[in-house]
Amino acid sequence: MQNENIIKGQGAQRNVINRFDRYTFEPEEDDFETVKTSFTEVFPKSIVNQVKSDDLPMEYSMNPYQGCEHGCSYCFARPTHEYWGYSAGIDFERKIMVKKNAPELLEKFFQKRGYRPAPILLSGNTDCYQPAERQFEITRKILQVCLDYRHPVHVLTKNALVLRDIDILQPLAEQNLVSVSLSIPTINEELRRKMEPRTSAAKNKLKAIEILSEHKIPVNVMVAPIIPGLNSDEPLTILKAISEAGAQSFGYTLVRLNDSVEPVFVNWIENAFPDRAQKVLNLIRSMRGGKLGEKKFFDRQKGEGNIAEMIHNTFKIGRKKFFDGKEFPKLSIKGFTGAKDQQLRLFD
């Protein structure tokens, strides 16, 4: 039974203490707060980040937005908001920083002498198709730059808004320059509304897979995160549904609650699922050596114990049953020259 005081449409129910603040305060237990979303333009000097994590497959990522409106309480990006002086709680999903100059910065990056192309993940931290994208269209402009320069790009999102840009995605796909990963942790719509309250409905994500696949745009699905006691009974059902919709591959992660993600998630689950909150938290601890988080490379992906092993085995079964023979294409870097036209550089 859900707490009647829970704020619908938000993952975080209150702000949590910023670990970098000199002065802190303790929020009251009944300090529930509804906040309207605000947008602040920021002016970064670069937009492409080099990924240095040994257990992640990409070399580069870029994020047109800082903060995310989708409201997932377990989002690993929440602590990054604290570097801006905000809270990882409500602030993360209601105070959104917008990088309008991202397309221009990306173009300058492509023009750097000596740059060797490698696929860039869009986004990797916060969602590039969160609701703000309807207004600002920064992601659309970034994709156009990638098309102009024939540069490969992986798109990762929880939002079916990606279909808006199919007119750019399709010519990218024709040159083997794009793939789309949709995050689908659940296809139980009642659970989806609580877990990720401002994302697209599960049926709309499945429809997006169908439409993208019909346009020959390769689709991967991230079944993430798996939270034992909430969606850990769904993997086989999800894998069957996404395979039938046209997905060519999938990945998954086990939930981990590092730093300020932990108090946000704990508060959320105690309000959203008070009858099983402690069971879920104890199951997570069983996968994380008695803790709720894990930062060690590779260990953070695998987890430990019987529950983690059971989840891994379930996905192995699902891969063999629903994805046997399917292969995800490797994006091409052959067309990139560092210029919009096809003329090769005279000097490198």
Side-chain angles (χ1 to χ4, degrees), residues 73-117:
S73 64
Y74 46 78
C75 180
F76 66 87
R78 284 184 179 273
T80 63
H81 228 47
E82 296 175 316
Y83 293 103
W84 297 82
Y86 293 119
S87 169
I90 295 173
D91 285 352
F92 176 77
E93 49 196 275
R94 296 302 186 183
K95 295 184 185 295
I96 310 300
M97 282 163 283
V98 180
K99 305 173 185 178
K100 292 182 181 179
N101 64 341
E104 291 78 16
L105 292 173
L106 181 60
E107 190 164 6
K108 290 179 181 178
F109 181 79
F110 287 163
Q111 293 171 351
K112 284 184 177 180
R113 189 173 297 276
Y115 168 63
R116 295 289 184 263

mmCIF file of all heavy atoms in Angstrom, residues 73-117:
data_model
loop_
_atom_site.group_PDB
_atom_site.id
_atom_site.type_symbol
_atom_site.label_atom_id
_atom_site.label_comp_id
_atom_site.label_asym_id
_atom_site.label_seq_id
_atom_site.Cartn_x
_atom_site.Cartn_y
_atom_site.Cartn_z
ATOM 1 N N SER A 73 14.264 7.414 -8.879
ATOM 2 C CA SER A 73 14.896 7.604 -7.571
ATOM 3 C C SER A 73 16.272 6.966 -7.491
ATOM 4 O O SER A 73 17.117 7.387 -6.705
ATOM 5 C CB SER A 73 13.999 7.037 -6.473
ATOM 6 O OG SER A 73 13.856 5.636 -6.625
ATOM 7 N N TYR A 74 16.524 5.938 -8.305
ATOM 8 C CA TYR A 74 17.760 5.176 -8.254
ATOM 9 C C TYR A 74 18.820 5.690 -9.229
ATOM 10 O O TYR A 74 19.878 5.076 -9.390
ATOM 11 C CB TYR A 74 17.475 3.706 -8.593
ATOM 12 C CG TYR A 74 16.574 3.561 -9.803
ATOM 13 C CD1 TYR A 74 17.068 3.721 -11.092
ATOM 14 C CD2 TYR A 74 15.217 3.305 -9.647
ATOM 15 C CE1 TYR A 74 16.239 3.617 -12.192
ATOM 16 C CE2 TYR A 74 14.382 3.203 -10.741
ATOM 17 C CZ TYR A 74 14.890 3.365 -12.014
ATOM 18 O OH TYR A 74 14.062 3.280 -13.106
ATOM 19 N N CYS A 75 18.582 6.805 -9.897
ATOM 20 C CA CYS A 75 19.471 7.275 -10.958
ATOM 21 C C CYS A 75 20.887 7.518 -10.435
ATOM 22 O O CYS A 75 21.096 8.300 -9.498
ATOM 23 C CB CYS A 75 18.929 8.552 -11.584
ATOM 24 S SG CYS A 75 19.983 9.196 -12.904
ATOM 25 N N PHE A 76 21.862 6.866 -11.070
ATOM 26 C CA PHE A 76 23.261 6.979 -10.616
ATOM 27 C C PHE A 76 23.831 8.370 -10.851
ATOM 28 O O PHE A 76 24.877 8.724 -10.297
ATOM 29 C CB PHE A 76 24.132 5.942 -11.333
ATOM 30 C CG PHE A 76 24.260 6.183 -12.825
ATOM 31 C CD1 PHE A 76 25.233 7.019 -13.323
ATOM 32 C CD2 PHE A 76 23.408 5.551 -13.717
ATOM 33 C CE1 PHE A 76 25.362 7.244 -14.690
ATOM 34 C CE2 PHE A 76 23.514 5.773 -15.085
ATOM 35 C CZ PHE A 76 24.494 6.623 -15.574
ATOM 36 N N ALA A 77 23.171 9.186 -11.692
ATOM 37 C CA ALA A 77 23.686 10.525 -12.010
ATOM 38 C C ALA A 77 23.324 11.562 -10.955
ATOM 39 O O ALA A 77 23.845 12.685 -11.006
ATOM 40 C CB ALA A 77 23.141 10.970 -13.375
ATOM 41 N N ARG A 78 22.478 11.239 -10.019
ATOM 42 C CA ARG A 78 22.027 12.233 -9.044
ATOM 43 C C ARG A 78 23.180 12.950 -8.328
ATOM 44 O O ARG A 78 23.149 14.175 -8.178
ATOM 45 C CB ARG A 78 21.080 11.589 -8.020
ATOM 46 C CG ARG A 78 19.679 11.339 -8.561
ATOM 47 C CD ARG A 78 18.739 10.787 -7.502
ATOM 48 N NE ARG A 78 17.395 10.581 -8.028
ATOM 49 C CZ ARG A 78 16.451 11.494 -8.058
ATOM 50 N NH1 ARG A 78 16.702 12.702 -7.563
ATOM 51 N NH2 ARG A 78 15.268 11.243 -8.553
ATOM 52 N N PRO A 79 24.225 12.240 -7.870
ATOM 53 C CA PRO A 79 25.301 12.931 -7.149
ATOM 54 C C PRO A 79 26.023 13.993 -7.975
ATOM 55 O O PRO A 79 26.639 14.897 -7.409
ATOM 56 C CB PRO A 79 26.252 11.788 -6.766
ATOM 57 C CG PRO A 79 25.364 10.585 -6.670
ATOM 58 C CD PRO A 79 24.376 10.770 -7.783
ATOM 59 N N THR A 80 25.962 13.905 -9.322
ATOM 60 C CA THR A 80 26.649 14.910 -10.136
ATOM 61 C C THR A 80 26.020 16.291 -9.980
ATOM 62 O O THR A 80 26.678 17.300 -10.230
ATOM 63 C CB THR A 80 26.624 14.522 -11.627
ATOM 64 O OG1 THR A 80 25.274 14.492 -12.115
ATOM 65 C CG2 THR A 80 27.261 13.149 -11.841
ATOM 66 N N HIS A 81 24.772 16.346 -9.546
ATOM 67 C CA HIS A 81 24.110 17.640 -9.361
ATOM 68 C C HIS A 81 24.709 18.419 -8.195
ATOM 69 O O HIS A 81 24.608 19.642 -8.134
ATOM 70 C CB HIS A 81 22.612 17.434 -9.146
ATOM 71 C CG HIS A 81 21.748 18.324 -9.998
ATOM 72 N ND1 HIS A 81 21.951 18.498 -11.342
ATOM 73 C CD2 HIS A 81 20.669 19.100 -9.689
ATOM 74 C CE1 HIS A 81 21.039 19.330 -11.828
ATOM 75 N NE2 HIS A 81 20.264 19.708 -10.845
ATOM 76 N N GLU A 82 25.323 17.688 -7.285
ATOM 77 C CA GLU A 82 25.909 18.340 -6.111
ATOM 78 C C GLU A 82 27.125 19.193 -6.471
ATOM 79 O O GLU A 82 27.442 20.155 -5.778
ATOM 80 C CB GLU A 82 26.293 17.278 -5.082
ATOM 81 C CG GLU A 82 25.086 16.516 -4.545
ATOM 82 C CD GLU A 82 25.476 15.387 -3.616
ATOM 83 O OE1 GLU A 82 26.433 14.648 -3.942
ATOM 84 O OE2 GLU A 82 24.823 15.231 -2.566
ATOM 85 N N TYR A 83 27.787 18.870 -7.563
ATOM 86 C CA TYR A 83 28.932 19.677 -7.996
ATOM 87 C C TYR A 83 28.506 21.073 -8.438
ATOM 88 O O TYR A 83 29.327 21.989 -8.492
ATOM 89 C CB TYR A 83 29.674 18.981 -9.134
ATOM 90 C CG TYR A 83 30.368 17.706 -8.729
ATOM 91 C CD1 TYR A 83 29.828 16.462 -9.041
ATOM 92 C CD2 TYR A 83 31.557 17.731 -8.006
ATOM 93 C CE1 TYR A 83 30.459 15.286 -8.670
ATOM 94 C CE2 TYR A 83 32.198 16.556 -7.620
ATOM 95 C CZ TYR A 83 31.636 15.342 -7.961
ATOM 96 O OH TYR A 83 32.262 14.177 -7.581
ATOM 97 N N TRP A 84 27.235 21.218 -8.756
ATOM 98 C CA TRP A 84 26.696 22.510 -9.186
ATOM 99 C C TRP A 84 26.089 23.281 -8.018
ATOM 100 O O TRP A 84 25.512 24.354 -8.212
ATOM 101 C CB TRP A 84 25.638 22.295 -10.272
ATOM 102 C CG TRP A 84 26.166 21.678 -11.519
ATOM 103 C CD1 TRP A 84 26.388 20.355 -11.756
ATOM 104 C CD2 TRP A 84 26.556 22.351 -12.715
ATOM 105 N NE1 TRP A 84 26.878 20.155 -13.013
ATOM 106 C CE2 TRP A 84 26.991 21.366 -13.629
ATOM 107 C CE3 TRP A 84 26.568 23.691 -13.114
ATOM 108 C CZ2 TRP A 84 27.447 21.677 -14.915
ATOM 109 C CZ3 TRP A 84 27.011 23.996 -14.395
ATOM 110 C CH2 TRP A 84 27.449 23.001 -15.277
ATOM 111 N N GLY A 85 26.168 22.713 -6.822
ATOM 112 C CA GLY A 85 25.622 23.378 -5.648
ATOM 113 C C GLY A 85 24.183 23.023 -5.354
ATOM 114 O O GLY A 85 23.553 23.637 -4.483
ATOM 115 N N TYR A 86 23.647 22.034 -6.066
ATOM 116 C CA TYR A 86 22.257 21.621 -5.872
ATOM 117 C C TYR A 86 22.190 20.318 -5.069
ATOM 118 O O TYR A 86 23.192 19.688 -4.776
ATOM 119 C CB TYR A 86 21.566 21.421 -7.216
ATOM 120 C CG TYR A 86 21.388 22.685 -8.017
ATOM 121 C CD1 TYR A 86 21.969 22.825 -9.277
ATOM 122 C CD2 TYR A 86 20.631 23.749 -7.532
ATOM 123 C CE1 TYR A 86 21.804 23.971 -10.022
ATOM 124 C CE2 TYR A 86 20.460 24.911 -8.266
ATOM 125 C CZ TYR A 86 21.054 25.011 -9.516
ATOM 126 O OH TYR A 86 20.888 26.151 -10.252
ATOM 127 N N SER A 87 20.963 19.914 -4.759
ATOM 128 C CA SER A 87 20.745 18.648 -4.071
ATOM 129 C C SER A 87 20.528 17.537 -5.088
ATOM 130 O O SER A 87 20.019 17.772 -6.192
ATOM 131 C CB SER A 87 19.515 18.756 -3.157
ATOM 132 O OG SER A 87 19.144 17.470 -2.675
ATOM 133 N N ALA A 88 20.907 16.320 -4.693
ATOM 134 C CA ALA A 88 20.648 15.154 -5.527
ATOM 135 C C ALA A 88 19.193 14.705 -5.434
ATOM 136 O O ALA A 88 18.788 13.788 -6.151
ATOM 137 C CB ALA A 88 21.561 14.006 -5.107
ATOM 138 N N GLY A 89 18.419 15.356 -4.578
ATOM 139 C CA GLY A 89 17.009 15.011 -4.419
ATOM 140 C C GLY A 89 16.125 15.722 -5.429
ATOM 141 O O GLY A 89 16.286 15.569 -6.640
ATOM 142 N N ILE A 90 15.186 16.505 -4.937
ATOM 143 C CA ILE A 90 14.245 17.185 -5.820
ATOM 144 C C ILE A 90 14.957 18.077 -6.828
ATOM 145 O O ILE A 90 14.561 18.153 -7.994
ATOM 146 C CB ILE A 90 13.233 18.015 -4.998
ATOM 147 C CG1 ILE A 90 12.352 17.089 -4.144
ATOM 148 C CG2 ILE A 90 12.351 18.855 -5.910
ATOM 149 C CD1 ILE A 90 11.442 17.822 -3.185
ATOM 150 N N ASP A 91 16.018 18.759 -6.396
ATOM 151 C CA ASP A 91 16.744 19.655 -7.317
ATOM 152 C C ASP A 91 17.161 18.940 -8.589
ATOM 153 O O ASP A 91 17.113 19.514 -9.679
ATOM 154 C CB ASP A 91 17.995 20.217 -6.642
ATOM 155 C CG ASP A 91 17.695 21.297 -5.622
ATOM 156 O OD1 ASP A 91 16.527 21.726 -5.534
ATOM 157 O OD2 ASP A 91 18.629 21.714 -4.908
ATOM 158 N N PHE A 92 17.618 17.683 -8.467
ATOM 159 C CA PHE A 92 18.130 16.941 -9.621
ATOM 160 C C PHE A 92 17.091 16.823 -10.723
ATOM 161 O O PHE A 92 17.413 16.884 -11.913
ATOM 162 C CB PHE A 92 18.594 15.552 -9.193
ATOM 163 C CG PHE A 92 19.042 14.682 -10.338
ATOM 164 C CD1 PHE A 92 20.277 14.878 -10.923
ATOM 165 C CD2 PHE A 92 18.221 13.680 -10.828
ATOM 166 C CE1 PHE A 92 20.690 14.084 -11.990
ATOM 167 C CE2 PHE A 92 18.625 12.877 -11.892
ATOM 168 C CZ PHE A 92 19.862 13.082 -12.472
ATOM 169 N N GLU A 93 15.822 16.652 -10.339
ATOM 170 C CA GLU A 93 14.795 16.464 -11.358
ATOM 171 C C GLU A 93 13.946 17.708 -11.622
ATOM 172 O O GLU A 93 13.073 17.678 -12.489
ATOM 173 C CB GLU A 93 13.896 15.275 -10.991
ATOM 174 C CG GLU A 93 13.370 15.283 -9.569
ATOM 175 C CD GLU A 93 12.816 13.922 -9.157
ATOM 176 O OE1 GLU A 93 11.636 13.656 -9.459
ATOM 177 O OE2 GLU A 93 13.553 13.139 -8.515
ATOM 178 N N ARG A 94 14.214 18.797 -10.896
ATOM 179 C CA ARG A 94 13.423 20.014 -11.105
ATOM 180 C C ARG A 94 14.260 21.249 -11.447
ATOM 181 O O ARG A 94 13.714 22.250 -11.886
ATOM 182 C CB ARG A 94 12.588 20.306 -9.846
ATOM 183 C CG ARG A 94 11.536 19.249 -9.529
ATOM 184 C CD ARG A 94 10.554 19.046 -10.669
ATOM 185 N NE ARG A 94 9.467 18.150 -10.308
ATOM 186 C CZ ARG A 94 8.504 17.759 -11.129
ATOM 187 N NH1 ARG A 94 8.498 18.181 -12.371
ATOM 188 N NH2 ARG A 94 7.551 16.946 -10.708
ATOM 189 N N LYS A 95 15.566 21.190 -11.262
ATOM 190 C CA LYS A 95 16.445 22.296 -11.651
ATOM 191 C C LYS A 95 17.368 21.779 -12.751
ATOM 192 O O LYS A 95 18.404 21.161 -12.484
ATOM 193 C CB LYS A 95 17.247 22.806 -10.447
ATOM 194 C CG LYS A 95 16.368 23.432 -9.363
ATOM 195 C CD LYS A 95 17.207 24.012 -8.231
ATOM 196 C CE LYS A 95 16.330 24.532 -7.095
ATOM 197 N NZ LYS A 95 15.500 25.665 -7.493
ATOM 198 N N ILE A 96 16.974 22.020 -13.978
ATOM 199 C CA ILE A 96 17.653 21.444 -15.130
ATOM 200 C C ILE A 96 18.548 22.490 -15.790
ATOM 201 O O ILE A 96 18.107 23.603 -16.086
ATOM 202 C CB ILE A 96 16.637 20.920 -16.164
ATOM 203 C CG1 ILE A 96 15.594 20.014 -15.486
ATOM 204 C CG2 ILE A 96 17.357 20.197 -17.293
ATOM 205 C CD1 ILE A 96 16.161 18.796 -14.808
ATOM 206 N N MET A 97 19.799 22.109 -15.995
ATOM 207 C CA MET A 97 20.737 22.983 -16.694
ATOM 208 C C MET A 97 20.804 22.576 -18.156
ATOM 209 O O MET A 97 20.895 21.394 -18.485
ATOM 210 C CB MET A 97 22.102 22.925 -16.035
ATOM 211 C CG MET A 97 22.141 23.756 -14.762
ATOM 212 S SD MET A 97 23.523 23.350 -13.693
ATOM 213 C CE MET A 97 22.939 21.837 -12.956
ATOM 214 N N VAL A 98 20.739 23.576 -19.018
ATOM 215 C CA VAL A 98 20.577 23.373 -20.454
ATOM 216 C C VAL A 98 21.814 23.887 -21.183
ATOM 217 O O VAL A 98 22.230 25.027 -20.983
ATOM 218 C CB VAL A 98 19.318 24.123 -20.945
ATOM 219 C CG1 VAL A 98 19.129 23.924 -22.435
ATOM 220 C CG2 VAL A 98 18.083 23.663 -20.175
ATOM 221 N N LYS A 99 22.379 23.051 -22.035
ATOM 222 C CA LYS A 99 23.594 23.414 -22.769
ATOM 223 C C LYS A 99 23.251 23.697 -24.233
ATOM 224 O O LYS A 99 23.443 22.850 -25.110
ATOM 225 C CB LYS A 99 24.620 22.288 -22.651
ATOM 226 C CG LYS A 99 24.933 21.895 -21.216
ATOM 227 C CD LYS A 99 25.827 20.660 -21.158
ATOM 228 C CE LYS A 99 26.041 20.188 -19.731
ATOM 229 N NZ LYS A 99 26.863 18.954 -19.664
ATOM 230 N N LYS A 100 22.747 24.887 -24.476
ATOM 231 C CA LYS A 100 22.304 25.240 -25.819
ATOM 232 C C LYS A 100 23.450 25.290 -26.821
ATOM 233 O O LYS A 100 23.236 25.151 -28.039
ATOM 234 C CB LYS A 100 21.573 26.587 -25.800
ATOM 235 C CG LYS A 100 20.237 26.573 -25.067
ATOM 236 C CD LYS A 100 19.568 27.938 -25.151
ATOM 237 C CE LYS A 100 18.236 27.941 -24.406
ATOM 238 N NZ LYS A 100 17.579 29.280 -24.460
ATOM 239 N N ASN A 101 24.654 25.504 -26.344
ATOM 240 C CA ASN A 101 25.794 25.601 -27.261
ATOM 241 C C ASN A 101 26.420 24.244 -27.575
ATOM 242 O O ASN A 101 27.458 24.167 -28.228
ATOM 243 C CB ASN A 101 26.868 26.545 -26.699
ATOM 244 C CG ASN A 101 27.487 26.016 -25.400
ATOM 245 O OD1 ASN A 101 26.914 25.154 -24.732
ATOM 246 N ND2 ASN A 101 28.642 26.546 -25.038
ATOM 247 N N ALA A 102 25.783 23.164 -27.139
ATOM 248 C CA ALA A 102 26.336 21.825 -27.343
ATOM 249 C C ALA A 102 26.586 21.494 -28.816
ATOM 250 O O ALA A 102 27.650 20.952 -29.149
ATOM 251 C CB ALA A 102 25.429 20.775 -26.707
ATOM 252 N N PRO A 103 25.651 21.773 -29.741
ATOM 253 C CA PRO A 103 25.920 21.444 -31.153
ATOM 254 C C PRO A 103 27.149 22.158 -31.712
ATOM 255 O O PRO A 103 27.944 21.550 -32.445
ATOM 256 C CB PRO A 103 24.638 21.895 -31.861
ATOM 257 C CG PRO A 103 23.585 21.849 -30.801
ATOM 258 C CD PRO A 103 24.269 22.280 -29.550
ATOM 259 N N GLU A 104 27.327 23.429 -31.349
ATOM 260 C CA GLU A 104 28.494 24.175 -31.829
ATOM 261 C C GLU A 104 29.787 23.604 -31.241
ATOM 262 O O GLU A 104 30.799 23.470 -31.934
ATOM 263 C CB GLU A 104 28.364 25.655 -31.461
ATOM 264 C CG GLU A 104 27.267 26.406 -32.206
ATOM 265 C CD GLU A 104 25.873 26.128 -31.664
ATOM 266 O OE1 GLU A 104 25.773 25.593 -30.528
ATOM 267 O OE2 GLU A 104 24.892 26.419 -32.373
ATOM 268 N N LEU A 105 29.743 23.231 -29.959
ATOM 269 C CA LEU A 105 30.921 22.638 -29.328
ATOM 270 C C LEU A 105 31.266 21.291 -29.953
ATOM 271 O O LEU A 105 32.449 20.955 -30.124
ATOM 272 C CB LEU A 105 30.667 22.458 -27.827
ATOM 273 C CG LEU A 105 30.558 23.737 -26.993
ATOM 274 C CD1 LEU A 105 30.126 23.401 -25.563
ATOM 275 C CD2 LEU A 105 31.877 24.497 -26.968
ATOM 276 N N LEU A 106 30.254 20.520 -30.300
ATOM 277 C CA LEU A 106 30.491 19.223 -30.923
ATOM 278 C C LEU A 106 31.151 19.403 -32.294
ATOM 279 O O LEU A 106 32.088 18.670 -32.650
ATOM 280 C CB LEU A 106 29.182 18.458 -31.070
ATOM 281 C CG LEU A 106 29.295 17.070 -31.700
ATOM 282 C CD1 LEU A 106 30.199 16.157 -30.871
ATOM 283 C CD2 LEU A 106 27.911 16.446 -31.875
ATOM 284 N N GLU A 107 30.680 20.371 -33.036
ATOM 285 C CA GLU A 107 31.259 20.623 -34.359
ATOM 286 C C GLU A 107 32.745 21.006 -34.238
ATOM 287 O O GLU A 107 33.586 20.533 -35.006
ATOM 288 C CB GLU A 107 30.476 21.714 -35.072
ATOM 289 C CG GLU A 107 30.848 21.879 -36.538
ATOM 290 C CD GLU A 107 29.819 22.669 -37.332
ATOM 291 O OE1 GLU A 107 28.856 23.196 -36.721
ATOM 292 O OE2 GLU A 107 29.988 22.753 -38.553
ATOM 293 N N LYS A 108 33.074 21.828 -33.269
ATOM 294 C CA LYS A 108 34.472 22.204 -33.043
ATOM 295 C C LYS A 108 35.307 20.984 -32.650
ATOM 296 O O LYS A 108 36.464 20.857 -33.050
ATOM 297 C CB LYS A 108 34.552 23.282 -31.961
ATOM 298 C CG LYS A 108 34.021 24.644 -32.390
ATOM 299 C CD LYS A 108 34.119 25.655 -31.241
ATOM 300 C CE LYS A 108 33.571 27.009 -31.671
ATOM 301 N NZ LYS A 108 33.622 28.000 -30.543
ATOM 302 N N PHE A 109 34.700 20.104 -31.873
ATOM 303 C CA PHE A 109 35.396 18.880 -31.466
ATOM 304 C C PHE A 109 35.724 18.022 -32.686
ATOM 305 O O PHE A 109 36.841 17.483 -32.798
ATOM 306 C CB PHE A 109 34.541 18.108 -30.475
ATOM 307 C CG PHE A 109 35.155 16.836 -29.974
ATOM 308 C CD1 PHE A 109 36.114 16.853 -28.980
ATOM 309 C CD2 PHE A 109 34.765 15.607 -30.499
ATOM 310 C CE1 PHE A 109 36.701 15.674 -28.517
ATOM 311 C CE2 PHE A 109 35.337 14.422 -30.044
ATOM 312 C CZ PHE A 109 36.304 14.462 -29.053
ATOM 313 N N PHE A 110 34.769 17.897 -33.592
ATOM 314 C CA PHE A 110 34.989 17.102 -34.801
ATOM 315 C C PHE A 110 36.079 17.699 -35.686
ATOM 316 O O PHE A 110 36.741 16.985 -36.444
ATOM 317 C CB PHE A 110 33.690 16.978 -35.595
ATOM 318 C CG PHE A 110 32.670 16.053 -34.975
ATOM 319 C CD1 PHE A 110 31.336 16.113 -35.369
ATOM 320 C CD2 PHE A 110 33.025 15.123 -34.011
ATOM 321 C CE1 PHE A 110 30.390 15.265 -34.814
ATOM 322 C CE2 PHE A 110 32.090 14.268 -33.451
ATOM 323 C CZ PHE A 110 30.766 14.335 -33.852
ATOM 324 N N GLN A 111 36.234 19.007 -35.610
ATOM 325 C CA GLN A 111 37.192 19.693 -36.474
ATOM 326 C C GLN A 111 38.611 19.714 -35.910
ATOM 327 O O GLN A 111 39.529 20.209 -36.564
ATOM 328 C CB GLN A 111 36.718 21.137 -36.725
ATOM 329 C CG GLN A 111 35.435 21.225 -37.543
ATOM 330 C CD GLN A 111 34.866 22.627 -37.592
ATOM 331 O OE1 GLN A 111 35.330 23.520 -36.885
ATOM 332 N NE2 GLN A 111 33.857 22.832 -38.426
ATOM 333 N N LYS A 112 38.806 19.175 -34.708
ATOM 334 C CA LYS A 112 40.137 19.177 -34.113
ATOM 335 C C LYS A 112 41.120 18.366 -34.958
ATOM 336 O O LYS A 112 40.832 17.246 -35.356
ATOM 337 C CB LYS A 112 40.095 18.582 -32.694
ATOM 338 C CG LYS A 112 39.526 19.503 -31.638
ATOM 339 C CD LYS A 112 39.614 18.855 -30.266
ATOM 340 C CE LYS A 112 39.123 19.775 -29.170
ATOM 341 N NZ LYS A 112 39.208 19.129 -27.836
ATOM 342 N N ARG A 113 42.265 18.982 -35.225
ATOM 343 C CA ARG A 113 43.285 18.294 -36.005
ATOM 344 C C ARG A 113 43.802 17.086 -35.209
ATOM 345 O O ARG A 113 44.131 17.180 -34.040
ATOM 346 C CB ARG A 113 44.427 19.260 -36.310
ATOM 347 C CG ARG A 113 45.453 18.712 -37.305
ATOM 348 C CD ARG A 113 46.447 19.784 -37.687
ATOM 349 N NE ARG A 113 45.805 20.898 -38.359
ATOM 350 C CZ ARG A 113 45.527 20.949 -39.650
ATOM 351 N NH1 ARG A 113 45.829 19.895 -40.411
ATOM 352 N NH2 ARG A 113 44.954 22.000 -40.177
ATOM 353 N N GLY A 114 43.864 15.964 -35.891
ATOM 354 C CA GLY A 114 44.372 14.761 -35.251
ATOM 355 C C GLY A 114 43.329 13.932 -34.534
ATOM 356 O O GLY A 114 43.656 12.859 -34.012
ATOM 357 N N TYR A 115 42.078 14.401 -34.491
ATOM 358 C CA TYR A 115 41.044 13.623 -33.808
ATOM 359 C C TYR A 115 40.771 12.327 -34.555
ATOM 360 O O TYR A 115 40.562 12.326 -35.767
ATOM 361 C CB TYR A 115 39.752 14.428 -33.685
ATOM 362 C CG TYR A 115 38.560 13.596 -33.246
ATOM 363 C CD1 TYR A 115 38.533 12.969 -32.009
ATOM 364 C CD2 TYR A 115 37.460 13.417 -34.097
ATOM 365 C CE1 TYR A 115 37.457 12.187 -31.617
ATOM 366 C CE2 TYR A 115 36.372 12.643 -33.709
ATOM 367 C CZ TYR A 115 36.383 12.033 -32.477
ATOM 368 O OH TYR A 115 35.315 11.260 -32.100
ATOM 369 N N ARG A 116 40.776 11.224 -33.834
ATOM 370 C CA ARG A 116 40.457 9.914 -34.402
ATOM 371 C C ARG A 116 39.053 9.525 -33.958
ATOM 372 O O ARG A 116 38.791 9.403 -32.757
ATOM 373 C CB ARG A 116 41.474 8.863 -33.928
ATOM 374 C CG ARG A 116 42.895 9.121 -34.437
ATOM 375 C CD ARG A 116 42.988 8.854 -35.935
ATOM 376 N NE ARG A 116 44.356 9.005 -36.425
ATOM 377 C CZ ARG A 116 44.814 10.108 -37.003
ATOM 378 N NH1 ARG A 116 44.027 11.161 -37.133
ATOM 379 N NH2 ARG A 116 46.052 10.164 -37.468
ATOM 380 N N PRO A 117 38.135 9.310 -34.895
ATOM 381 C CA PRO A 117 36.736 9.090 -34.533
ATOM 382 C C PRO A 117 36.497 7.790 -33.788
ATOM 383 O O PRO A 117 37.146 6.777 -34.051
ATOM 384 C CB PRO A 117 36.020 9.072 -35.896
ATOM 385 C CG PRO A 117 37.079 8.638 -36.860
ATOM 386 C CD PRO A 117 38.356 9.236 -36.348
#
